[in-house]
Amino acid sequence: MQAFRTALRRNGRDFATEVGVSHRMLVKWETGGENIIPRPGNQAALDTMLATAGPEVQERFAALITERAAADQDARAEQLLRREGQHTKSPVDGKLMVPVEEGIYLSGPGNKPTWIEAYLIDVYPTTNADYARFVRATKYRAPQHWPNGKCPDSIIDHPVVWVTWHDAAAYAKWAGKALPTSQQWEKAARGTKGRTYPWGDAPTAAKCNVLDSEIGRTTPVSRYQSGVSPYGVFDMCGNTWEWCATETTHRRQELKGSAFTSPFTRAAPSLLNDADVTMSDNDTGFRCVSAARKGSALPSPVPSPTDQSGARRSLVTRGWAGLARPREEIYPGRGPAVSIPKSVVSGGCHHASGGDQIASRGRQHALGT
C-alpha cells in the first residue's frame, strides 16, 4: 500500500481521501502490510487509481515492489511480475527453451549492427538439478560443492557452479545442444534494439542478484521475474557468470552476465569478460542453445514490464491480498509446480566448499578490479 502511495507521490491524507477511507484506516493498512486485505470497494478504487495513473507512476510502483522483494529476499512480489512466453522443451535435459529470430541486433558496447541466424536458448541457466541428471546419466564427476557427490536439496533450483568450460561443453554435448556464442547470448539478453540491460536502460540493481544486492550467494534461477530479457530469458544479469563458445585467445573463452560476486557496474550484457578454460569458481555456470527448427514460427520479443499496463495492474488487483498467499515455485525441468517453503526460496545454501568466498582464479574481468 505504501509503495503505491509513494509511487503516486501523495501524502497520507490525500491518498486516503482518493481511496475513500479515513486517514486512521490508511495508517492501519500501511502498518499491517501484506496481512491487510482491503474491502472490495476500496480495492476497486485502488485498481482504478493505478489503471488511470500515467506510465511514470506505474513504472515507479513496479520498481518499488521489485526493490522491496529484493531487499526482503521475498520472491512473492517477483512472482506477480512473471510473464509467459512461447517455450519449447529440450528432448534430452527437459529444459525450457525460447526461440530467438534471425536478424540484426545491436552488439557490444558500441551497438554495432550484427546479423545472426535463428536459434533456441535455455530460458534458465543450467541448474544443479539439471546437472545432477547429467552426472547420473554419464557418470561424469560432480561439482566440488556437492557433499559426497550429491546435490543438496536446498540448491537444486540454483545455477550449477564450480564447472570449467570443458564441464559445460560436456553437458551441452550430452544434451544435444551447444554453448552459446557471445553474440547469441547477448542478443537473447538485450533484444534487437540494444537495451543496456535485459529489462531496459534503467540501472536497477534490484532486478538481479549482484554484489550490490548483498545476498552473497546464488539464488533460484526463476527468482527475478522483473529482470527477464525481451525474449523472456532469466538471469542474464547477475547470479552467475556464464560460459560462452566464443574464444578470445588461446585457451580462453568469453564469459557473460556477471554474478552475485560482481558489482552492478559489471552487469551490462554488452561488456566483455573471459577466463581460462580450466577455471572453475563458485560464481560461474552456463546455459545452452540449439538450432531453431526449420519451418517453425518464431515470436517477436515480448514487451518489457514497463510496457505492460496489464501486468502492472495485476500488482494492485492481486497485490495486497495476493502477496499474503502461499507462493508456488516451478523447478525448471522438473514438471508441475510444487509448493516450497520460503526458506528454500530465499535462504539458499552456503556451498560446502566455502560458498560465499570469492576465488576468481584464472578470471580476468574486462573492467578490472
Side-chain angles (χ1 to χ4, degrees):
M1 188 71 71
Q2 189 172 15
F4 185 39
R5 179 167 67 82
T6 302
L8 287 168
R9 295 177 177 169
R10 299 280 201 281
N11 63 43
R13 295 190 183 280
D14 290 344
F15 184 78
T17 299
E18 290 186 60
V19 179
V21 298
S22 67
H23 183 254
R24 179 178 295 179
M25 179 61 72
L26 176 64
V27 172
K28 182 178 179 181
W29 281 356
E30 293 187 348
T31 303
E34 59 192 40
N35 295 318
I36 296 297
I37 302 177
R39 293 178 179 177
N42 299 136
Q43 183 66 64
L46 290 165
D47 296 343
T48 301
M49 288 170 66
L50 183 61
T52 57
E56 291 184 0
V57 172
Q58 295 173 341
E59 289 171 16
R60 285 197 296 269
F61 178 62
L64 288 166
I65 289 291
T66 303
E67 289 168 6
R68 186 182 74 177
D72 295 343
Q73 298 185 36
D74 184 350
R76 291 173 297 175
E78 287 282 344
Q79 185 68 16
L80 296 180
L81 294 169
R82 176 187 290 275
R83 49 186 144 143
E84 302 300 332
Q86 180 179 335
H87 294 154
T88 299
K89 181 171 285 190
S90 180
V92 177
D93 62 2
K95 289 185 67 62
L96 294 178
M97 305 189 78
V98 67
V100 179
E101 78 284 359
E102 67 179 12
I104 293 174
Y105 81 104
L106 300 181
S107 173
N111 284 336
K112 179 183 177 182
T114 303
W115 191 94
I116 56 176
E117 296 276 1
Y119 58 97
L120 298 167
I121 189 167
D122 290 341
V123 173
Y124 304 101
T126 303
T127 65
N128 285 291
D130 299 326
Y131 205 79
R133 286 191 288 275
F134 162 64
V135 169
R136 287 195 300 270
T138 64
K139 308 304 180 184
Y140 201 85
R141 62 180 175 275
Q144 69 181 64
H145 65 298
W146 292 5
N148 300 316
K150 302 291 184 181
C151 174
D153 289 342
S154 59
I155 58 170
I156 57 174
D157 59 345
H158 290 223
V160 67
V161 293
W162 293 109
V163 287
T164 68
W165 183 88
H166 296 296
D167 296 334
Y171 175 99
K173 182 178 180 180
W174 165 77
K177 299 191 281 190
L179 296 180
T181 66
S182 60
Q183 291 182 339
Q184 289 174 325
W185 195 101
E186 185 183 353
K187 183 176 181 179
R190 302 179 67 195
T192 60
K193 298 182 179 179
R195 290 182 177 183
T196 305
Y197 304 101
W199 55 84
D201 294 326
T204 311
K207 293 178 182 288
C208 54
N209 180 13
V210 289
L211 187 63
D212 311 53
S213 308
E214 299 182 345
I215 296 175
R217 58 184 178 273
T218 58
T219 48
V221 294
S222 61
R223 168 69 176 82
Y224 288 95
Q225 313 289 339
S226 62
V228 301
S229 82
Y231 294 97
V233 183
F234 284 66
D235 273 0
M236 301 303 263
C237 278
N239 217 3
T240 60
W241 290 100
E242 296 185 16
W243 287 111
C244 292
T246 303
E247 187 178 55
T248 54
T249 59
H250 180 59
R251 293 181 55 81
R252 295 187 72 84
Q253 301 288 140
E254 280 204 44
L255 291 166
K256 285 288 191 180
S258 76
F260 71 91
T261 56
S262 308
F264 183 69
T265 53
R266 289 155 70 172
S270 63
L271 298 181
L272 304 177
N273 188 17
D274 70 355
D276 187 271
V277 294
T278 62
M279 187 277 295
S280 67
D281 211 337
N282 69 335
D283 64 354
T284 305
F286 66 97
R287 76 180 73 216
C288 299
V289 296
S290 64
R293 294 186 178 90
K294 292 184 178 181
S296 61
L298 296 180
S300 298
V302 296
S304 69
T306 57
D307 294 330
Q308 294 179 299
S309 59
R312 288 191 299 265
R313 195 175 302 119
S314 70
L315 288 173
V316 173
T317 56
R318 298 169 59 195
W320 295 281
L323 291 177
R325 297 172 187 151
R327 178 177 179 274
E328 289 192 332
E329 180 72 14
I330 296 177
Y331 289 147
R334 301 188 74 217
V338 294
S339 297
I340 59 173
K342 181 180 175 184
S343 61
V344 173
V345 175
S346 59
C349 174
H350 290 272
H351 300 310
S353 58
D356 300 339
Q357 296 181 356
I358 304 170
S360 307
R361 294 183 301 277
R363 184 167 60 235
Q364 179 179 352
H365 296 298
L367 299 184
T369 54

